[in-house]
Amino acid sequence: MKNISFYMKIFINTDDYKVISSKTKEKLVEIAKKLNIEVISEIDDADIIISIGGDGTFLESSRLTCGKPIIGINTGSLGYLTEISPENIENALKDILNNDYYIEERIMLEGEIIKKSGEIIKIPPALNEIAISKNTLGVVRFDVNINEKLINSYTADGMIVCTPTGSTAYNLSCGGPIVDPTANIITLTPIAPHSILNRSLSLSDTSVVDIKITELRNNTAAYALYDGIPIEIFCEDIIRIRKSDKTTRIIKLENRSFIDTIRENIN
């Protein structure tokens, strides 16, 4: 690991819609100046990325990182991904300056939407999940193939394909399992399936998942969402999902583990 004990440059991504986030950024800038840390405006020149907000801001930050280490300051609610509280900024920065941290490599997902015409629409990398979901009307019928083999045909509100990091997000709210974020698996969790086959399925992270939309009942609209960002999909579209070559490198402080985060947030 590169020694950055003497000088460090940081890029800050902030949830500007929240007053607490803006005030936290001001506090961070003041502390950075005190510790001789340079705050820069060009992400390519940064040593680390600091995300201020909740998990949604962290997900946005993960798409900006260009492989650079990232850490979050939590001004949101649950904060499964955000490591630092606003009250602990100075101590956390000192730990980073002293190399008292480690980096977890988190897998991401990516894919494409394959149209009947042969047109391909790329789905950008997502840290949490790529999900298929409908609007408020009707249901979606779709076939799920794993490595070109049919697993099941579903009538449901959708399907979540998530990373271990995303297991505590949309997946958890739909009854999916909590997964160690460093595990090398992909989890599929159906959303409100009209079937007794409603269990989640865990796969090797080398698997390729194809979801073919076979019917949109009652003219419902459906979407492929990468970390919540929608792309509209239509009948006979194939949504192909796989592990991305890109990863998110999350800075972890020695005094806080995934188990600590789960225990605090669930209780």
Side-chain angles (χ1 to χ4, degrees), residues 124-143:
L127 176 58
N128 266 358
E129 76 276 313
I130 296 175
I132 308 304
S133 187
K134 67 173 187 65
N135 67 4
T136 55
L137 302 173
V139 294
V140 184
R141 285 184 172 170
F142 52 92
D143 296 336

Side-chain angles (χ1 to χ4, degrees), residues 67-80:
K68 296 179 183 292
I70 179 173
I71 193 166
I73 300 173
N74 184 25
T75 58
S77 51
L78 288 178
Y80 282 107

Side-chain angles (χ1 to χ4, degrees), residues 8-215:
M8 183 168 67
K9 294 182 287 186
I10 62 174
F11 176 89
I12 304 171
N13 186 46
T14 311
D15 177 3
D16 292 322
Y17 291 100
K18 293 184 178 179
V19 173
I20 186 174
S21 297
S22 297
K23 290 184 175 179
T24 299
K25 180 178 180 179
E26 293 174 3
K27 179 179 179 180
L28 171 60
V29 171
E30 290 177 3
I31 293 172
K33 183 177 180 180
K34 173 182 173 182
L35 297 177
N36 196 32
I37 296 170
E38 183 181 359
V39 179
I40 62 175
S41 59
E42 295 295 330
I43 193 169
D44 289 344
D45 298 326
D47 294 303
I48 68 170
I49 314 304
I50 298 181
S51 176
I52 302 177
D55 285 350
T57 306
F58 193 96
L59 293 173
E60 176 187 76
S61 300
S62 73
R63 293 190 291 273
L64 303 174
T65 57
C66 306
K68 296 179 183 292
I70 179 173
I71 193 166
I73 300 173
N74 184 25
T75 58
S77 51
L78 288 178
Y80 282 107
L81 295 171
T82 48
E83 182 83 3
I84 309 169
S85 66
E87 297 75 25
N88 199 38
I89 292 174
E90 185 167 349
N91 289 337
L93 289 179
K94 286 178 178 178
D95 285 344
I96 294 171
L97 284 168
N98 292 325
N99 285 328
D100 188 15
Y101 69 96
Y102 62 98
I103 292 178
E104 283 186 356
E105 294 271 353
R106 302 286 186 87
I107 70 170
M108 303 179 78
L109 299 174
E110 65 182 21
E112 59 260 350
I113 300 167
I114 305 169
K115 304 298 229 178
K116 185 179 180 180
S117 65
E119 178 190 1
I120 294 177
I121 300 171
K122 292 292 185 182
I123 302 175
L127 176 58
N128 266 358
E129 76 276 313
I130 296 175
I132 308 304
S133 187
K134 67 173 187 65
N135 67 4
T136 55
L137 302 173
V139 294
V140 184
R141 285 184 172 170
F142 52 92
D143 296 336
V144 176
N145 288 266
I146 309 298
N147 300 329
E148 300 183 344
K149 294 182 180 180
L150 179 66
I151 296 298
N152 194 23
S153 297
Y154 290 89
T155 300
D157 286 356
M159 174 69 76
I160 302 166
V161 183
C162 77
T163 67
T165 300
S167 70
T168 52
Y170 195 7
N171 170 75
L172 181 61
S173 68
C174 290
I178 295 175
V179 179
D180 185 314
T182 61
N184 294 314
I185 63 172
I186 297 171
T187 299
L188 276 63
T189 298
I191 305 170
H194 297 199
S195 167
I196 61 172
L197 299 175
N198 58 0
R199 300 295 184 183
S200 295
L201 178 63
S202 294
L203 308 168
S204 163
D205 66 353
T206 61
S207 301
V208 177
V209 179
D210 282 353
I211 301 174
K212 181 175 182 180
I213 308 302
T214 57
E215 184 182 358

